[in-house]
Amino acid sequence: MSKRDVGFSNYVREFLHNKMGLVGLTILIILLIFTVIALSIPAHVYSSWNNPAAWSEYPEHVPPSWMSIFYPNRYFTTQQLFPINLSLYSPAKGIYISLVVFSFNWTRSLPAYNVYFVISTNTTPIEEIVYWTKPDGNTIQISVPNEDFNVPFDLTSVRSNIITYISSITGKTPNIVNSTILSSALFNSPKSNLTVIEDGKYVVKIEIIATKPLNITRASLLLLGNSYGLMGTDYFGRPIDLGVLLGLPNALEIGALTSLVSVIVGVIVGGISGYLGGNKDSFIQWITLVFLALPALPFLVAVSFVTEPNLELEALLIAFLSWPFYAIIARSMALSIKSNSYVEADKLLGIPSYRIFFTHFMPRLIPITVAYMALGVPAGILLAQTLAFLGIAPANIVTWGGILDAAETYQAQVNGWWWWVVFPGAMIVIVAIPFVLIGFAIERVTLGER
C-alpha cells in the first residue's frame, strides 16, 4: 500500500480485494453462524454429554449415515415407527388393557442394530408383554420387567425371553449376549437357524395391563441402524457431529482470548524494548528469552494439575507463554522505525519519549498486531485441544481434544472407528484455516506483497 493510500477505509478496501483474505473471512463467517447455533442449544445437552445414559437410544460406534450411499447393502439409518393402531378395552371389572400395534416392512440384508420400545402411560401397569411376529407368522413373546414400565427399554432389558427363544431354535445358549445377537433373533429366520435375515412384514404388538383406566401418553418403536448422522457416533452412542458443534464456541473463545492477550502484551513489550535500546533493551530481551525457554506443554500440564481447570485461566496461561514470540517481532520492527529521521527529529525537538512512542511506533505496530492476532488464534486452539486430549480441560465443556482423548481410551483406531478420530481432528485444522488466511492477507495489505 502506498503512503497516499493509508487510512482505515483503505486498509479495509485493500483487504476485501485480497482473494485469500476474502476466502478466510467467508469461512470465518460460516464458523460464527455455527457458533451461534451451538450457543442456542439448551444447556442440559452440554451437561449430558458426559452422561452415557443420556445417549442410550442412539446406536453405538456406528459410521456416518452417508456411508449407506456408497454401501447400501451394508449400512442403513435408524427408523422411528409410530403405532398403526391403538385400542383400549376392559375385559373385566378393575382390569384395563391397552394394545399398541406397530407394523413395518424389513428388506435390509442385516438386522437392526438394536430395538428401543418407547411406551409411557398415565398409570403404572401391572404387566406389559411384547408380541414380535415375523413375516412367516412365528411370534416371540417377551415379558417386560417391572422396572422398565413407563421408561424406554431396549432388547438387552428383555434378554431372558430372547435368549430362551435362541436356545429353542439353535439348541445352544450364546456365549456373547449383546444387542446385535438379540436383534438377530428377532429379524433372522428360524428356518435358517437364525443365520439369514427374514424380509417382509413384521407386526409388533405391545399389550399393557393395568388396574386403572389407561391412557397412552407416548408410543414409538426405534429400529436402530448401523449408521447415524453426519459424523457417526462414539462408544456411548453420542453423535460426533453434535460433539463437534458443541466444541466450536469454546475453541474459538480460547483461541481468540489467547491470541488477543499474548499479541498485545508481546507487541507492547517488544515495541518498548526496541524503542528504549541499550541496557534496558538487553534486560527486557533477557526476560523475553527466559519466558521463551519455558517448555510450554509441561509447564501448562504442571500448572493445570494444581489449579482448577478453567477456560479463561487456561487461555491466560497459554498467553503467558506465547507473548515472547510477538515481542521479538515487535522489537525488530521498533528498531527499524527508530532509525527513521522523523523519530530523530522529534528527539532533537525535546518531545517526550512516551509521545514519540505513541505517535510514531504504535500506529505502525498496530496493523501488524492485528495480523498476528489472527495468526495466533490457531496456535491457541491447538494448545488448548492438546491439553484437553491429555485430560486437562474444564469438566463442564465439550472439547475436540476431549473427544479425541475418549477415542484413544476406547481404542477407536484399533477397532476401525475412524470417524471418531477424523472429524474432531479435521475440525481443529478447519478452524485454523480462516485465521491463517486472514492473517496473511492483513500482513500483505500492511507490508505489501512479499
Side-chain angles (χ1 to χ4, degrees), residues 105-164:
N105 283 311
W106 193 257
T107 57
R108 308 289 183 185
S109 57
L110 295 171
Y113 187 88
N114 198 349
V115 179
Y116 260 88
F117 302 88
V118 183
I119 298 291
S120 298
T121 65
N122 62 331
T123 184
T124 302
I126 59 173
E127 190 173 6
E128 193 168 322
I129 302 171
V130 176
Y131 299 94
W132 185 280
T133 303
K134 298 185 179 185
D136 63 359
N138 187 26
T139 298
I140 306 172
Q141 182 175 322
I142 303 170
S143 297
V144 180
N146 294 352
E147 60 267 22
D148 291 327
F149 291 168
N150 286 333
V151 295
F153 61 93
D154 70 341
L155 297 180
T156 58
S157 301
V158 292
R159 65 177 68 192
S160 59
N161 290 122
I162 301 176
I163 292 173
T164 302

Side-chain angles (χ1 to χ4, degrees), residues 52-76:
W55 310 98
S56 60
E57 295 180 22
Y58 293 77
E60 299 166 356
H61 48 73
V62 296
S65 58
W66 48 262
M67 289 290 288
S68 60
I69 299 174
F70 303 101
Y71 304 99
N73 294 325
R74 289 175 55 185
Y75 298 105
F76 54 93

